[in-house]
Amino acid sequence: MSKKELRFPKRPFRTSGGAKVPHRKNTSDKQSVIMPSPEEVIIPMSQHIGAPCKVQVSVGEQVYVGTVVGDSDAFVCAPIHSSVSGVVKSITKITMPSGAQVDAVVIESDGKDTTDPAIKPPVVENLQDFLKAVRASGLVGLGGAGFPAHVKLNVPADKEIDTLIINCAECEPYITADNREVIENSWAVISGVYTVSELLGIERVIIGIENNKPEAIKILTEIADNPKYDPEDKVRVLPLKASYPQGAEKVLIKACTGREVPTGKLPADAGCIVMNVTSVAFLSDYLKTGMPLTKKRLTVDGSAIKEPQNVIVPIGTPISKVMEFCGGYKEEVKKLLMGGPMMGISLSDDSLPVLKQNNAILAFSEKEARLYEPTDCIRCGRCVSACPMRLMPTRLCSDVKLLDFDAMQKHQIMTCMECGSCAFSCPAHRHIVQTIRLGKSKLKAELMKQKGDK
Amino acid sequence: MSKLFVSSSPHLRSNCSTRKIMLDVIIALLPSCAAAVVFFGWRALMLLGVCVLTCVFSEYICRIVMKREQTIGDLSAVVTGVLLALNLPANLNPLMAVFGSVAAIVVVKQMFGGIGMNFVNPALAARIILTVSFPTAMTNWIPTAYQSVDAVSSATPLASESGAYSYLQLFLGNHGGSMGETCALAILLGGIYLVLRKVIVPTIPVVYIGTAALMALILGLDPLEQILSGGIMLGAVFMATDYTTSPVTKWGKVVYALGCGVLTMLIRTFANLPEGVSFSILIMNILTPLIESATAPSAFGEKKGRRAK
C-alpha cells in the first residue's frame, strides 16, 4: 500500500444533524469522592454485550477485592470480579433494567477491603499477552455500551488500523465522569494512550473532546503538545463542537477523520479504533497494578439529588446506597436513570446494583419525569435535520406503523442508533425513538423467521 | 420508595411545541395584518376577525363530529384564518369569507385527517375555491386609503401597465390588491422573524423569489416589479413554507421552491390569469411527496466511506 502521510485535522470534520441539548454539567469542577465499601454488593453476571458469565464461586466462600466471581469460555465476554472482600452470602437471580433475568452473586463485605493475594501486574511482552491481560482485567467499553475491550482490540488481520480515537466527547447532559477522569488521572490517560497505540502499531492518536471542557482540554493539550512527552508528535487533542451526539462512535470517527463507517460495518472498516478515555486510563493502571475493574466513577445528579457530585463506587453497590452516600434525595424521586437523559435507561426501583459500564445515576422529580403527550405530526422536518445518521424519522415511523419490512430495510432503519436527537427536537413530542426501536426489533424477528423458513 | 415513571429514552425534550410554532407564525403575520388595516381600514379588520373565528369554530365542530381529540388549542386554525383573510380583497362580502374559511378547514384540512395530513395548503385552496366561485368579487380591488382615486385605477400592479407604480409604492404596499399581499415590507419583517426564531429555514422564500426574478429577466419583464407585485412575497414567505405541504428534505425544498418560481412566472406570462402564485404553490404541494422521496438523503455510511490512503 502506498503510504500517504497521515495528518492531524486542524478542525473537526463536518457532521450532519445533532440537537442542541442543554449541558447541565453541574459537577464538572467538583473533586470526585471515594465511597467506602457498602455492607453488601450484588454482582450480576451480565455486565457487557455478549455471553453472560457463569458463577465461579460458591456460597460461603471467602473472596477478596479482585477475585474472579464470574467467567465464561465464550469469546465475547469479560470476567467479573468481586469489588469487596468478604463472604459469598447467596447466589440469586435479579432482573436487569433490560428486563432480562440474570444470576447475581451477593457478597457480604468484611469492611477490610483486602486485596486478593493472587493479584500482580501482568507481564506484557507482545500483543497476545496484552489482549490476554485486557480480558483478565474485565474491561468493557466504559462509555456505556459495555462491549468487551479485548474483542474490540483484537483487530482482524485483514483490517488496517491507522488511527486510534480517544472518546472524551461526553456529549450527554449532566455526565462529567470522563471529564473528572481526565482532570484527576491525566497521566494514566496519556500513558494508556501510548501503551495501546504502541502495542497495536497505530501511528496517529486523536483525542476527541467537546469544547465545553476547557480544563480537561488544557491539561491534555499540555501533555500531548510537549515534545518531551510526545517526541514523535503522534498524539493530538482535537476540541469538538459541543453538540449532541458528538460522542457517538460513528459521529466521532466522522468528526475526527472525515471517514464514514459503512452501513453494518465496524469502526475497523474505516481504519479506526475508538476507545473511551476512562477505559484507556484504566488499562494503564491495570498494567501497573494488576487490579481488575472493580470500581467505577459515577456522576450522581438530577433535580432530586441533594448534592450532585462524582463518586467512585465499588461495582455492585446498590444504587440506593450510592444515593444515601450522596446525601439522599431532595424531593420525591419520580424517575431514576442509569446513564444520561438522552440514552439512559429508566429504572423501576433503586435496588439495582451499579454496573461496570455505568457512568451516571440521575434522579428527577415529578416535573422532569413526566413526558408530554404526543400530538399529530406537523411534518416540520426538525427530526430529519436533527438526525446525525441522515435518516428520515418521519418516513421510518410510518414504515413501522404499517409494518412494512421492505420499506424499513430500504430506508435503513438499522442505521438508527437511538440517540434521541429526533425525539428531543420534535415539537409534537412524538415517541419517535420508541417507534423506531420497536420497528428494529420487529424487523430482526422477521428476518430470523425468514431465515428459519428457508 | 414511591412508584417511578419508566419510559423509553430520550428522557429530555426540547421545550418547542406545535402551539409555540403556530404562535410564532401568528406574530410574524401581525405586521401584514397591521398594514392591511392601515391601507384598507375597518373592513380589513372585520374580514380578519370573520375568517379566524370561522376557521376556529369549524375546526372545533369538525373534531367533535369526527369524535377526535380537540385540536383548536394548537392555534393552526388561527393561522389558516389569518392567511386566508390576507388573501382576500378588502371589500369582499363577509359571507363569502365564511364560505372560504369553512371550505379551508372542513374540506381541505379536517376531511384529510387534520393538522399535518392535508395535501394542499388550506388557505391557498380556499382562495382558489373562492376565486373560481366568485370571480368578480374576488378580483374587485379597492384603492388603499392613501391613493387618490382619480389618479390611479384600483387595478393591481400586475393588471396595470408596467411602470404604473414606483418601486417604493410597491414595496410599501400603497396599491390595490389582496389585503396582505400589497405591503412587501411587512411580509419581509414577518419572514425575518420566522427565520430568526428558527420556525422556517430561508431556503424556500429565497429560492422561490430568486427563481421568479430570474424567470422575469428571461421573459423580458422587470424582475423587481414582478416580485414586489401580486402574491409572490406573501406566497413565498407564508404559503409555500407551510410545513405539511412542503418537502422536509434540504434539496427537496430547493426543487419545490424552484418549481413554484418557474410556474408562477409561466402562469403570469402565458396563461389567461393575472396571477399565478396560488396555482403554482398548489401544484407543487401536490408534487411534494414525489419530490421528497426523490431527494431523500442517503443514510450515514450508505455511500462508500472515503478512506484517506
Side-chain angles (χ1 to χ4, degrees):
Chain A
M1 185 177 97
S2 64
K3 211 161 186 185
K4 197 182 156 200
E5 203 187 332
L6 278 171
R7 272 194 239 131
F8 286 96
K10 283 202 179 61
R11 62 183 76 83
F13 289 86
R14 268 188 66 172
T15 52
S16 31
K20 283 206 166 48
V21 301
H23 298 310
R24 299 186 190 162
K25 306 263 187 193
N26 310 318
T27 51
S28 57
D29 298 327
K30 276 192 204 156
Q31 181 79 26
S32 310
V33 183
I34 297 171
M35 180 182 169
S37 298
E39 294 135 40
E40 192 180 278
V41 291
I42 305 156
I43 301 187
M45 289 297 108
S46 178
Q47 302 191 28
H48 48 254
I49 292 174
C53 289
K54 290 191 188 81
V55 180
Q56 304 288 321
V57 288
S58 43
V59 177
E61 201 177 314
Q62 172 75 35
V63 292
Y64 302 97
V65 180
T67 309
V68 174
V69 292
D71 204 347
S72 148
D73 298 331
F75 178 62
V76 185
C77 176
I80 291 165
H81 306 83
S82 169
S83 56
V84 293
S85 62
V87 181
V88 177
K89 196 172 145 195
S90 62
I91 292 164
T92 55
K93 275 202 182 295
I94 62 164
T95 310
M96 299 294 276
S98 65
Q101 291 260 323
V102 298
D103 288 330
V105 177
V106 182
I107 301 166
E108 201 175 73
S109 170
D110 57 12
K112 290 183 202 140
D113 281 344
T114 324
T115 308
D116 193 314
I119 282 179
K120 56 178 190 299
V123 184
V124 173
E125 277 163 359
N126 53 33
L127 187 60
Q128 285 317 310
D129 290 351
F130 176 62
L131 293 177
K132 235 161 83 189
V134 173
R135 188 184 190 283
S137 74
L139 179 63
V140 298
L142 298 182
F147 191 70
H150 66 280
V151 183
K152 184 193 275 187
L153 293 173
N154 190 2
V155 183
D158 58 327
K159 302 268 158 63
E160 193 148 354
I161 306 291
D162 56 19
T163 308
L164 171 66
I165 297 171
I166 304 300
N167 190 348
C168 192
E170 204 161 53
C171 54
E172 280 258 16
Y174 295 101
I175 308 181
T176 57
D178 285 348
N179 179 42
R180 290 314 302 176
E181 178 77 27
V182 171
I183 292 167
E184 291 165 21
N185 210 3
S186 42
W187 285 102
V189 172
I190 294 291
S191 91
V193 164
Y194 269 94
T195 313
V196 175
S197 62
E198 253 156 52
L199 282 163
L200 293 174
I202 297 172
E203 61 250 65
R204 177 171 76 160
V205 184
I206 300 172
I207 303 177
I209 178 163
E210 274 193 358
N211 60 15
N212 60 0
K213 298 177 244 314
E215 197 183 345
I217 293 180
K218 195 168 149 257
I219 292 174
L220 288 176
T221 316
E222 265 167 23
I223 306 176
D225 284 359
N226 190 333
K228 212 168 104 195
Y229 308 120
D230 185 20
E232 293 157 47
D233 191 21
K234 70 179 193 182
V235 184
R236 290 246 188 120
V237 179
L238 182 65
L240 309 167
K241 204 172 90 185
S243 141
Y244 184 82
Q246 199 67 264
E249 199 168 57
K250 286 178 175 178
V251 177
L252 188 69
I253 293 175
K254 179 85 193 262
C256 289
T257 66
R259 299 173 195 167
E260 270 185 21
V261 179
T263 310
K265 295 284 172 64
L266 293 172
D269 295 285
C272 297
I273 283 188
V274 183
M275 281 188 85
N276 174 269
V277 70
T278 305
S279 304
V280 171
F282 164 77
L283 266 185
S284 143
D285 287 342
Y286 174 73
L287 294 178
K288 261 185 230 134
T289 61
M291 176 53 89
L293 187 60
T294 59
K295 283 186 167 32
K296 191 67 214 287
R297 182 187 275 100
L298 292 176
T299 302
V300 179
D301 202 342
S303 56
I305 296 289
K306 220 178 246 167
E307 293 165 44
Q309 56 190 310
N310 276 289
V311 281
I312 298 172
V313 300
I315 287 162
T317 307
I319 290 169
S320 53
K321 297 281 182 238
V322 179
M323 294 311 195
E324 258 169 47
F325 179 74
C326 291
Y329 301 119
K330 192 163 66 180
E331 312 170 36
E332 199 184 3
V333 186
K334 280 293 178 185
K335 192 175 241 179
L336 200 58
L337 299 182
M338 200 176 235
M342 294 300 284
M343 289 187 79
I345 301 171
S346 70
L347 305 175
S348 52
D349 67 276
D350 61 0
S351 64
L352 270 161
V354 170
L355 309 176
K356 281 180 185 178
Q357 69 269 40
N358 283 169
N359 43 20
I361 302 288
L362 305 176
F364 294 100
S365 51
E366 174 130 19
K367 201 171 142 252
E368 283 89 355
R370 254 182 218 287
L371 287 181
Y372 303 96
E373 277 301 307
T375 53
D376 289 330
C377 169
I378 56 170
R379 282 180 34 84
C380 66
R382 279 174 176 74
C383 54
V384 179
S385 36
C387 182
M389 295 287 109
R390 298 194 304 266
L391 299 169
M392 287 174 64
T394 42
R395 202 164 62 171
L396 288 176
C397 285
S398 63
D399 293 344
V400 174
K401 208 171 158 191
L402 298 169
L403 276 182
D404 185 342
F405 294 113
D406 293 334
M408 281 186 223
Q409 278 177 293
K410 195 176 145 225
H411 299 150
Q412 306 286 354
I413 196 168
M414 284 315 203
T415 302
C416 172
M417 56 182 178
E418 300 165 19
C419 70
S421 300
C422 51
F424 174 82
S425 338
C426 182
H429 314 297
R430 298 187 67 76
H431 302 319
I432 306 176
V433 178
Q434 196 173 356
T435 310
I436 294 180
R437 204 177 271 146
L438 180 75
K440 279 166 80 173
S441 58
K442 290 218 175 205
L443 178 63
K444 268 186 220 160
E446 175 70 16
L447 291 179
M448 288 289 272
K449 210 178 96 196
Q450 283 175 9
K451 233 182 183 173
D453 288 346
K454 271 175 196 165
Chain B
M1 162 160 248
S2 62
K3 281 212 164 147
L4 295 173
F5 284 96
V6 177
S7 64
S8 167
S9 69
H11 308 284
L12 198 63
R13 301 292 165 101
S14 64
N15 55 7
C16 179
S17 71
T18 305
R19 187 206 299 241
K20 279 184 189 160
I21 290 172
M22 293 303 162
L23 198 62
D24 268 338
V25 178
I26 294 168
I27 292 171
L29 283 166
L30 285 181
S32 295
C33 295
V37 175
V38 168
F39 287 127
F40 300 105
W42 63 273
R43 291 199 69 104
L45 199 63
M46 182 200 66
L47 275 185
L48 275 165
V50 166
C51 286
V52 170
L53 286 179
T54 318
C55 280
V56 174
F57 185 68
S58 348
E59 175 145 323
Y60 179 74
I61 298 293
C62 252
R63 298 304 284 192
I64 290 178
V65 172
M66 286 161 36
K67 299 197 176 72
R68 298 280 171 94
E69 212 178 311
Q70 198 47 256
T71 51
I72 50 167
D74 65 22
L75 300 179
S76 61
V78 178
V79 172
T80 303
V82 175
L83 274 176
L84 177 60
L86 293 181
N87 270 293
L88 303 175
N91 58 341
L92 190 79
N93 184 340
L95 283 177
M96 293 177 186
V98 170
F99 170 74
S101 307
V102 172
I105 294 296
V106 179
V107 182
V108 186
K109 190 178 173 193
Q110 294 300 338
M111 281 195 179
F112 286 92
I115 188 167
M117 303 303 286
N118 48 290
F119 71 103
V120 289
N121 186 327
L124 209 60
R127 180 189 173 156
I128 289 173
I129 293 171
L130 283 173
T131 312
V132 176
S133 318
F134 315 106
T136 328
M138 279 299 285
T139 49
N140 179 19
W141 319 107
I142 55 164
T144 67
Y146 307 98
Q147 275 177 307
S148 47
V149 183
D150 55 316
V152 188
S153 78
S154 56
T156 69
L158 280 179
S160 341
E161 291 273 306
S162 177
Y165 292 88
S166 71
Y167 290 143
L168 187 69
Q169 233 178 340
L170 289 173
F171 185 66
L172 294 178
N174 191 14
H175 56 81
S178 299
M179 281 163 42
E181 285 177 352
T182 60
C183 184
L185 175 69
I187 298 169
L188 216 57
L189 282 177
I192 291 169
Y193 176 79
L194 287 183
V195 171
L196 289 181
R197 295 282 296 164
K198 299 215 159 94
V199 173
I200 59 169
V201 284
T203 318
I204 292 179
V206 170
V207 176
Y208 189 167
I209 295 170
T211 314
L214 201 71
M215 280 292 287
L217 215 59
I218 294 169
L219 295 166
L221 301 163
D222 180 352
L224 205 53
E225 192 182 70
Q226 284 295 325
I227 58 172
L228 288 178
S229 8
I232 287 198
M233 292 292 285
L234 187 72
V237 174
F238 289 106
M239 306 294 237
T241 52
D242 172 30
Y243 285 151
T244 309
T245 53
S246 66
V248 294
T249 57
K250 202 167 71 186
W251 286 105
K253 285 185 171 53
V254 175
V255 173
Y256 166 86
L258 208 81
C260 286
V262 171
L263 284 176
T264 302
M265 292 315 291
L266 286 180
I267 295 175
R268 275 188 183 181
T269 319
F270 299 109
N272 194 16
L273 287 168
E275 177 57 306
V277 172
S278 317
F279 280 106
S280 58
I281 297 179
L282 200 78
I283 292 169
M284 295 315 286
N285 281 171
I286 296 168
L287 288 177
T288 291
L290 210 64
I291 298 173
E292 208 169 271
S293 60
T295 55
S298 67
F300 190 100
E302 220 175 357
K303 274 182 278 183
K304 194 107 179 71
R306 274 177 301 164
R307 281 203 55 180
K309 270 192 182 174

